[in-house]
Each structure stands twice: as C-alpha cells, then as structure tokens.
Amino acid sequence: MKDLHLYSLIGAGAIVAAVYAFNWWQEYRYRKRTQQAFARNQPDVLMDAPRNMVRSGERFEPALDADDDLPTRLELPADEAPVRVEARPDVRAESRAAVPAPVIPPQQDDGDALAESLLDANVDFIAEVHARDVIAARAVPRIAAPKRVQVIGLTTDGHWDVVNSASSADYTALRLGLQLADRQGPLSAEQLNAFCMAVQQFADEHEAVATFAQRSGKLAAAGELDEFCASVDVLIGLNLVSAGRPFQLEKVRVLAEQSGLSRTSEGWVYKSDSGKTLFTLANQDQSPLGPTSTALTLLFDVPRVAGGLAVFDYLSDFAQQLAGSLDASLVDDNGRALTAASLDNIRRQLGQLYAKMDDRGIAPGSVAALRLFA
C-alpha cells in the first residue's frame, strides 16, 4: 500500500512537471517568434519620416553649463535619474497538495498577436464593425485620412488578420484604428468625424453594426498625447565644421565605414542589427555629397531610437574621433563649441527625457514611438 501511494505521488509530480515544462516551452516559443517577426529587416513606413522632421521644426540646443535647465518647452523633471523596470512573467508555484489535471493550453497564433499589436487604445481611435454575415477583404474600403489608418479583421476561423490589398479572407468583425497624433499634430474633430462617417457608411452598406469609442474623450486624449510628444520630440545635431580647407569625403568615408556606418545617396547611416536607423552623417546644408565638404552634421532622432543613451555615447565618441581626424571644430547649430563636458550634459538631459518617456509607457524606438514620431 505504501508503494502504491509513493508511485501515485511520483506520477502526479511527473504530470505537474510535464505541464509546467510544456507551458514554459510554449511561452518561450511565442516570445521568440514574436521578437523575430518584429526584428525583420523590412521596409517600414514608420522609419521613412523626413530626417529633420520634428514637431517644433527646430533642433534641440543643449545647455552647455551642467547646471543649466533644459529649454522650457521640454518640461523635463529636474535631477531625475532614468529608471527602467523590466516586466517579468508571473510564474506561480503549483500546489503540492492538489494535483491539477494536465490541461493543454490553447495555442495562440503568432499572427493574432502581431495583428492585434497594430492597434493601441492609447494611440488610436478604434471603431468596430460587426458583420451580419461575413465581409470579404476586397469589400473593405481604403479610408483616406491625414493620420495612419489600420484595419484588422476577425476571420471565420477565429483569428485576427491584417486587412490590406493582399488579404483574401472573409471577416465576421473588423477593427479600424485612426491614429490620435503624429508629428503633424493631434487628430482634429473634423478628421475624426470624417473617419466615423466613412466607417458608418461602410457598415450600413453591409448591414453591419458599427460601434465607436467616445469621441470627445478621444479628442481630449489626442491633444494631451500630442502635448506630451512635443515635450520629448528632440532631434540632436552635432556639427563638424572645417577650420580651413574643405574635408576630403574619401577620408570621411574610410572613417565612417571603419565605425560601422554604411553609405546612402544622402550620406552615411548607422543602423541597428535589425536595420533601424540610429543616426546619420550628411552635409550640414543637406546638399548631395560631392568630393569635399565644408561642414557635416550627425543627426540623432531621439524618441525613435531604442537604447538611446548607449547610441548617444557611440555617436559622441565617433563625432570627437571625426573632429580630431579631420582637424574640424565640433559645434552646435549656433556655432558654440561642444566639449566633452557639454556632451556629458546632453547625455544627462537625455536620461531625464528617456525617463519621462518610460513613465508614459512609450519606450524610445518602440512601435508606438515610431508611429507617434513619424
């Protein structure tokens, strides 16, 4: 009898261990595949914004005195260190007293997660359309709007799918999102009303039911979101100015390539492993490159870059190396010298700015950041 009881406990423990291992493997597989999907080096309209495009239309001029405050339009908290909190999975220990039945968790299609991630209630006004029967992908109109419009659909087999010109599925429900803000400003009442009218007309034509988020609340949220984005929308320019003879760009090319930059039609670009632009090097006047140049500019679009402090450190080292090799002056847009102390001060201010973005839940370089700062 004792042996039977012992074997039962061993068997139950093995079942618990098997269920836990299976759950862990499923979570790891899903997380890995999702990360790979987002990291693919593909053309991305979010990355194609004009490189000098910021809400203010001006680049950030750092305070050279380490004790100076940031420009008031940035509204950064003083002396606040950036803190990042990594979310960890909530793993709960199985009860030893009770052995649960081995339940195989439902598999979530990676495509569902990717499709649903394209809409965010904090960034989009979302309308829903519930079909009386089904709606073919080819029947979903392309709604013209000055802000990003994204449509996802619930297929007849219960999966969320991105609806575009290549779609061929039938949908029982649709979610249509209109972005609340971008670098052109917040969503206006007229723009929102036009979007809602287009969605309602489409629903009526298909005898479907359309539901909308509360409009006045979303318009207020759009204005507040745009104000926040304006407060962190920073483009840093570090300028290399010739002290006498123009730079030989062949020498610049060698130095740039040695530091990991690649040549483009407009200049050089430093990219992440997934192909995202981290900073650029080009003529200060944005003219096409020739054999020589009298002034070059390194540009760093702050909210669109993940791991920004490390990137800025690399940018600063590269800028100082270039300045030394080319016998150039490293200056800001007003011609003031950028010393090691002033670069350290810019870094401190960037830490405050990134902390502000993290507190808002908009990580630099994230999908939400790329959408808002485009």
Side-chain angles (χ1 to χ4, degrees):
M1 190 65 180
K2 290 183 180 180
D3 289 343
L4 178 61
H5 183 64
L6 178 61
Y7 292 148
S8 297
L9 289 177
I10 293 173
I15 293 174
V16 171
V19 172
Y20 178 83
F22 183 82
N23 288 340
W24 178 89
W25 179 83
Q26 286 286 82
E27 180 183 349
Y28 172 82
R29 171 181 170 274
Y30 170 72
R31 183 170 60 248
K32 190 73 173 175
R33 289 184 62 187
T34 301
Q35 289 173 346
Q36 290 172 346
F38 276 117
R40 290 178 189 140
N41 186 8
Q42 308 175 16
D44 185 351
V45 296
L46 297 177
M47 298 300 296
D48 293 335
R51 59 182 180 155
N52 282 344
M53 181 63 181
V54 292
R55 281 171 172 78
S56 66
E58 299 178 356
R59 294 216 289 265
F60 168 50
E61 290 298 336
L64 300 186
D65 186 340
D67 294 327
D68 286 347
D69 292 331
L70 287 171
T72 54
R73 72 176 182 87
L74 291 178
E75 300 175 0
L76 294 182
D79 300 322
E80 182 175 332
V83 176
R84 291 179 182 261
V85 178
E86 297 290 340
R88 298 183 180 274
D90 183 16
V91 180
R92 294 174 174 82
E94 297 286 352
S95 170
R96 296 183 179 180
V99 178
V103 177
I104 304 301
Q107 279 198 354
Q108 183 181 22
D109 193 297
D110 292 350
D112 287 61
L114 292 174
E116 292 185 78
S117 71
L118 295 177
L119 294 180
D120 183 342
N122 295 317
V123 178
D124 300 297
F125 176 92
I126 300 175
E128 294 192 3
V129 174
H130 298 271
R132 181 176 180 179
D133 187 8
V134 294
I135 298 174
R138 63 180 178 276
V140 179
R142 183 183 178 91
I143 299 178
K147 306 293 183 193
R148 170 188 182 269
V149 174
Q150 181 67 59
V151 184
I152 63 175
L154 185 64
T155 61
T156 53
D157 58 357
H159 292 288
W160 286 102
D161 183 28
V162 180
V163 181
N164 53 40
S165 58
S167 305
S168 59
D170 292 329
Y171 303 107
T172 60
L174 298 169
R175 290 178 184 166
L176 303 93
L178 177 64
Q179 191 163 310
L180 297 176
D182 55 25
R183 277 178 164 164
Q184 302 298 324
L187 182 68
S188 70
E190 292 77 11
Q191 293 167 350
L192 179 56
N193 289 337
F195 172 77
C196 291
M197 288 176 62
V199 173
Q200 186 63 63
Q201 180 180 352
F202 163 70
D204 292 343
E205 290 172 353
H206 292 270
E207 298 183 347
V209 176
T211 60
F212 304 90
Q214 208 273 337
R215 298 191 198 185
S216 61
K218 282 295 184 179
L219 286 172
E224 191 273 335
L225 178 61
D226 184 67
E227 288 182 5
F228 167 79
C229 290
S231 74
V232 297
D233 201 354
V234 169
L235 183 68
I236 292 178
L238 307 182
N239 303 298
L240 296 149
V241 179
S242 171
R245 295 192 308 175
F247 308 132
Q248 295 295 320
L249 289 190
E250 176 60 22
K251 184 175 184 179
V252 175
R253 179 193 67 78
V254 172
L255 294 170
E257 291 180 354
Q258 286 176 347
S259 296
L261 283 74
S262 56
R263 178 71 180 266
T264 69
S265 59
E266 296 181 346
W268 290 269
V269 61
Y270 186 71
K271 294 185 176 182
S272 67
D273 291 339
S274 61
K276 306 304 182 185
T277 297
L278 301 179
F279 62 82
T280 61
L281 171 66
N283 275 326
Q284 186 180 37
D285 60 6
Q286 300 182 29
S287 63
L289 294 176
T292 63
S293 175
T294 58
L296 298 169
T297 296
L298 286 154
L299 289 176
F300 176 47
D301 197 345
V302 172
R304 292 174 61 85
V305 175
L309 290 178
V311 174
F312 180 75
D313 289 341
Y314 191 83
L315 171 68
S316 299
D317 291 342
F318 177 57
Q320 293 175 91
Q321 177 194 2
L322 271 182
S325 299
L326 300 174
D327 192 23
S329 300
L330 184 61
V331 300
D332 65 13
D333 286 340
N334 291 321
R336 298 177 300 187
L338 289 172
T339 64
S342 58
L343 291 172
D344 287 343
N345 185 43
I346 296 174
R347 190 185 193 281
R348 176 184 64 81
Q349 296 175 65
L350 285 178
Q352 296 174 351
L353 185 148
Y354 284 135
K356 187 174 182 179
M357 291 188 71
D358 284 341
D359 289 344
R360 177 77 187 210
I362 302 173
S366 64
V367 173
L370 294 178
R371 289 173 55 191
L372 291 168
F373 299 96

